[in-house]
Amino acid sequence: MAAAASAVALSLAGAARADDLQQLELAKTRFDTGRYEEAVRRFAAMLDPANPPCERGATDAEGKPCRITDPHIIERARGLAAAALVALRRGDEADAYIEQILLDNPAYSPNPALFQPDVIDRFTAVRARIRARIEEVTRQRAEAQRAERLRAERSRDDERRWIAEVTRLAGTERVVVQRSRWIAMLPFGVGQFQNGDDGLGWFFLVSQAVAGGTSIVSALALASYQNVDVTPAPPSQAGMPAAQRVDVERLNSRIDTAAAVNHVSFGAFATLVAAGIAHAQITFVPERVSVRKRPVPPPPPSFTAAPAISLLPGGLYAGVLGRF
């Protein structure tokens, strides 16, 4: 199997993600040092959907607050913001962040090594209060995932059917044979055979052959009878046998019979030929379409890919190493 490796360098918004982390660390530093008010302001700015996404080098110290976009960093920022608000005794605002965390990630569990017990208790209380909403969100997501799986399965089934149909079409060849009206005017069922009506073709072939053959044989017999010499033989000489006399009446009977057979057989032959040609012209099929098999090349080898991540100057890059 021939193998080739291809790497597709995909910048995973390295600059933006790096700045998301930078913004989080700046706010977390305030949180860790107990400067909760300032930490809350920073968390609120980076979670504000009205702010533009963070770009490399942009900080709110320059008067340019930005919005983080990485889902995992957003979840961490909300958790720290909630913890800071709990420390400031601003429970309602903390609950709003906690609700967002739990609705986005119903399986979220606060880390006891990071959060104080009162923050963990707050998470427990909010989870109990919005349990119905969490269950509804979980149900909706499960239904959405199920619908997506079904859609993907239908898509795969459609693709398999399409490939099977393409393979079937590629493995068959449509052959068109043009028919001729001149050939349809030939006797002995040629027109019927050309039209694909083998039954009538054999009927006209055999019947016309029999009628034509009978006509020819009877014509030869008639000619033979008509050439018989009926002149009376001279008297026999001494010592010579007497010449055999021809039975004229019997000969005439044979001539009449041969003539009648010839007329009937020739008439039958002519009638069958005319009927066969007329039928072939009336039922004429201009073309005949047939399908024949042809070889199909084997499918190509399957493609496999493996992710590759590297840290390069200027950002984080991901690659895909493929083998086919």
Side-chain angles (χ1 to χ4, degrees):
M1 177 184 294
S6 62
V8 181
L10 301 174
S11 174
L12 297 178
R17 177 168 293 188
D19 283 329
D20 283 359
L21 287 171
Q22 178 186 10
Q23 293 296 321
L24 179 67
E25 290 301 325
L26 288 173
K28 187 175 181 298
T29 300
R30 274 69 176 174
F31 174 83
D32 292 339
T33 57
R35 296 155 62 184
Y36 298 124
E37 286 287 356
E38 188 176 353
V40 167
R41 287 196 301 272
R42 285 184 173 272
F43 286 128
M46 71 178 68
L47 294 171
D48 188 354
N51 289 331
C54 293
E55 298 178 358
R56 175 168 291 277
T59 64
D60 57 2
E62 301 170 345
K64 298 178 181 178
C66 62
R67 168 175 52 89
I68 58 177
T69 56
D70 184 270
H72 299 291
I73 297 178
I74 290 174
E75 184 177 84
R76 291 177 59 189
R78 286 172 176 170
L80 292 172
L85 288 168
V86 170
L88 294 172
R89 301 293 188 268
R90 293 158 61 179
D92 292 341
E93 297 178 55
D95 290 350
Y97 282 119
I98 294 173
E99 286 185 12
Q100 290 177 325
I101 294 173
L102 296 178
L103 291 176
D104 286 347
N105 182 11
Y108 179 84
S109 178
N111 185 359
L114 180 62
F115 297 112
Q116 295 295 326
D118 53 347
V119 177
I120 297 176
D121 292 342
R122 199 81 190 184
F123 270 91
T124 303
V126 173
R127 185 187 299 275
R129 178 166 53 82
I130 64 170
R131 185 178 304 278
R133 292 173 59 190
I134 293 176
E135 291 176 352
E136 178 64 18
V137 169
T138 303
R139 184 188 64 80
Q140 291 177 356
R141 289 181 180 174
E143 290 180 355
Q145 292 174 356
R146 178 176 176 274
E148 178 62 22
R149 286 195 301 270
L150 292 176
R151 187 200 63 77
E153 291 176 1
R154 285 195 297 268
S155 178
R156 287 193 296 269
D157 292 341
D158 292 342
E159 183 179 3
R160 282 194 291 266
R161 284 193 293 269
W162 177 78
I163 292 175
E165 179 65 13
V166 170
T167 303
R168 184 188 68 82
L169 294 175
T172 57
E173 182 179 6
R174 186 171 179 266
V175 181
V176 179
V177 179
Q178 298 294 332
R179 305 293 180 78
S180 172
R181 284 194 177 273
W182 292 105
I183 294 178
M185 295 182 67
L186 296 177
F188 299 107
V190 173
Q192 282 70 32
F193 285 121
Q194 179 182 235
N195 290 336
D197 192 347
D198 294 343
L200 277 178
W202 282 108
F203 167 76
F204 283 114
L205 172 62
V206 174
S207 61
Q208 290 176 23
V210 171
T214 303
S215 176
I216 292 173
V217 171
S218 61
L220 294 175
L222 178 61
S224 175
Y225 292 147
Q226 289 176 342
N227 290 331
V228 174
D229 187 6
V230 295
T231 303
S236 59
Q237 299 178 359
M240 298 293 293
Q244 186 177 3
R245 295 183 59 189
V246 176
D247 189 344
V248 176
E249 183 177 351
R250 185 177 180 183
L251 178 61
N252 288 334
S253 175
R254 290 182 176 180
I255 290 174
D256 293 340
T257 301
V261 171
N262 178 259
H263 293 159
V264 172
S265 60
F266 182 79
F269 175 76
T271 301
L272 289 169
V273 169
I277 293 175
H279 176 269
Q281 293 294 330
I282 293 172
T283 61
F284 178 72
V285 180
E287 62 183 25
R288 181 180 181 181
V289 180
S290 61
V291 177
R292 63 186 179 190
K293 297 289 185 180
R294 61 182 176 185
V296 179
S302 59
F303 175 79
T304 58
I309 301 176
S310 59
L311 184 61
L312 300 176
L316 181 66
Y317 290 85
V320 177
L321 184 65
R323 182 174 296 274
F324 52 89

